[in-house]
Amino acid sequence: MNQTIQDAINEQIKLELMASHAYLAMSIYCEEANLPGCAHWMRLQSEEERAHALKLIDFMNDRGARVILQGLPQPQIEFESPLDVFTKTLEHERKVTASIHRIYQLSQKEYDPSTQVLMQWYINEQVEEEKNASDVIAMLQMAGGSGVGLLMVDRELAGRTGEVEEE
Ligand code: OFO
């Protein structure tokens, strides 16, 4: 496997694990803020990001490439509000999308069809990820940041079911 692509995927593994770590920290924040639905949503999101990293790790292993795990920075642990939490989530997802698009381009340039096909899966996934965060932001904006409105959004988020793909 081309070294440039290996390096890019190793960076992407780090980015997915950073997202997992960030969303776990957000889940803890929500739990402390007495928002169990929000905490549940973020816990599932954290697990999903870990699954994204594992999918890349499996792909590298299957192709005989070298996986190099890197250290993760401490995630942000304090937030202004649930709206702040989901706004930061969307910002992070946009960075991840840009990174996936870069790897897709790279795989075209270096002619690596397998990576290209895998990146197509992540491209579709990112559309979903950005939509999910945007939907919650819209709900929070409509409901207002506190009181009954917030309670209703929290109940809605409690209904999220797991989407982690096992392969
Ligand atoms: Fe892995 O999709 Fe979010 O970051």
Side-chain angles (χ1 to χ4, degrees):
M1 198 174 171
N2 173 300
Q3 190 60 46
T4 316
I5 304 246
Q6 283 192 50
D7 293 346
I9 295 181
N10 272 316
E11 273 307 307
Q12 189 62 33
I13 290 168
K14 180 182 181 191
L15 212 50
E16 300 288 348
L17 291 173
M18 274 171 64
S20 177
H21 216 39
Y23 299 151
L24 185 58
M26 288 175 180
S27 174
I28 294 164
Y29 163 84
C30 293
E31 197 64 60
E32 285 170 358
N34 293 317
L35 295 166
C38 171
H40 166 78
W41 196 100
M42 278 297 167
R43 175 83 70 103
L44 286 185
Q45 190 61 33
S46 171
E47 284 170 13
E48 208 177 289
E49 298 302 350
R50 189 165 185 276
H52 292 169
L54 292 175
K55 194 177 176 82
L56 292 170
I57 289 170
D58 290 343
F59 176 74
M60 293 276 274
N61 282 335
D62 288 350
R63 296 190 63 197
R66 179 105 172 87
V67 176
I68 301 169
L69 277 190
Q70 301 177 51
L72 303 176
Q74 185 187 10
Q76 183 174 344
I77 57 170
E78 296 295 347
F79 301 89
E80 284 165 24
S81 62
L83 183 59
D84 184 33
V85 165
F86 282 92
T87 304
K88 298 234 156 65
T89 300
L90 182 58
E91 279 169 16
H92 190 86
E93 288 308 321
R94 287 183 174 150
K95 276 189 207 143
V96 171
T97 301
S99 174
I100 293 286
H101 289 181
R102 268 196 303 274
I103 301 176
Y104 181 81
Q105 270 184 331
L106 201 60
S107 64
Q108 278 180 315
K109 186 167 161 262
E110 303 289 338
Y111 188 65
D112 183 341
S114 318
T115 299
Q116 213 172 324
V117 168
L118 183 69
M119 285 306 117
Q120 262 159 13
W121 183 90
Y122 281 88
I123 288 168
N124 292 335
E125 183 67 13
Q126 282 310 118
V127 172
E128 191 67 20
E129 298 274 274
E130 287 192 25
K131 179 189 180 315
N132 290 345
S134 302
D135 284 353
V136 180
I137 290 171
M139 268 196 279
L140 286 167
Q141 282 169 339
M142 271 188 282
S146 61
V148 179
L150 180 57
L151 199 65
M152 281 170 64
V153 173
D154 193 59
R155 292 232 171 107
E156 179 73 23
L157 299 185
R160 179 176 181 179
T161 52
E163 295 143 22
V164 173
E165 218 185 66
E166 289 297 333
E167 289 190 39

